Amino acid sequence: MYDFTYRKASSPDEAAKVYASADDATYMAGGMTLIPTLKQRLASPSDVIDLGPASELAGIKAGGNNITIGAMTTHATVAASADVRNTIPALASLAGGIGDPAVRHRGTIGGSVANNDPAADYPSAVLGLGATVHTNKRDIAADDFFVGMFETALEEGELITGFTFPLPETAAYSKFPNPASRYAVVGVFVAKTGSGVRVAVTGAGPSVFRATEMEAALSVDFSAKALDGITVDASGLNSDIHASAEYRAHLVGVMAKRAVEAAA
């Protein structure tokens, strides 16, 4: 691990000021990705800004047709929340299937989404539910947020403060997990809303993406049978020691059907 200056921030404004004054700073939420990266000397920031003391960034609030979750809310908190379970049980279930208990009690929704790991679970929920990403500068629609592998629409120094999820008529998440890490080899989040169906796929490609052909079919007939005959192009999908691109393409169809069955 390279030397760095450890800083604490008690609010988003303080974090942004510290970031702007540093040479090459980085924010730390739960640290589930950042700490291993620093230990392996794959990053060498001048300052690490710990967002843990910023209590206003954590919490869950349900009201109207939405539920809002603060960026520093842990996976375990989302999974156990009665508000989330009662309004979007698929989101609570997704959070409960992330990593292991240690990861779920330290990792945060904001850190996961900002990192945009291609195999992370939360990006599929954000995109699948058509959530809004709130930052200290603006609001970003989910469809505009995820840009590429480990890349988002966040600008230099911009900080996620929370998320607003519109409540779906029904939704479900199904994933084929890596047995060691619990990351998604392929995960599919399906949400039926008043304006149609959204299908978001994680683990298969360089970044989370929407399966538009499946969305069109499910908007007409929300059943697993509606997905019969729909295939996913394997070109451009991830291929590694865990699964080939072709196998991942197959899994997208399998996980999508399971998600629809669970939602229906």
Side-chain angles (χ1 to χ4, degrees), residues 76-258:
T77 300
V78 175
S81 168
D83 284 334
V84 179
R85 287 175 175 269
N86 291 335
T87 56
I88 315 178
L91 183 58
S93 176
L94 177 150
I98 296 174
D100 54 29
V103 169
R104 291 194 291 275
H105 281 83
R106 285 295 304 172
T108 66
I109 182 173
S112 174
V113 174
N115 191 48
N116 194 24
D117 189 298
D121 297 294
Y122 270 127
S124 69
V126 172
L127 186 61
L129 290 166
T132 299
V133 182
H134 305 294
T135 79
N136 57 333
K137 297 181 179 180
R138 55 183 170 146
D139 296 334
I140 310 172
D143 287 320
D144 301 322
F145 185 80
F146 302 102
V147 177
M149 184 178 288
F150 296 106
E151 185 179 3
T152 69
L154 292 172
E155 298 174 350
E156 185 70 22
E158 191 170 11
L159 173 67
I160 296 177
T161 57
F163 306 85
T164 296
F165 293 91
L167 306 186
E169 293 179 13
T170 186
Y173 178 63
S174 181
K175 77 170 176 178
F176 187 88
N178 180 301
S181 68
R182 308 302 294 175
Y183 272 110
V185 176
V186 166
V188 179
F189 197 101
V190 175
K192 183 181 181 182
T193 71
S195 57
V197 177
R198 296 173 69 96
V199 180
V201 181
T202 189
S207 181
V208 63
F209 63 90
R210 289 175 63 183
T212 55
E213 189 176 357
M214 290 184 177
E215 291 178 348
L218 292 171
S219 293
V220 176
D221 175 16
F222 193 74
S223 69
K225 185 177 180 180
L227 300 179
D228 288 346
I230 296 179
T231 59
V232 177
D233 186 1
S235 61
L237 297 187
N238 298 332
S239 185
D240 51 35
I241 61 172
H242 304 296
S244 66
E246 292 75 17
Y247 185 51
R248 280 188 164 91
H250 169 71
L251 282 177
V252 172
V254 175
M255 295 301 109
K257 286 188 174 182
R258 290 182 183 178

Side-chain angles (χ1 to χ4, degrees), residues 1-2 4 34-45 48:
M1 185 179 291
Y2 296 107
F4 59 83
L34 179 62
I35 297 302
T37 300
L38 294 175
K39 289 175 69 176
Q40 296 176 54
R41 295 196 170 194
L42 297 176
S44 56
V48 172

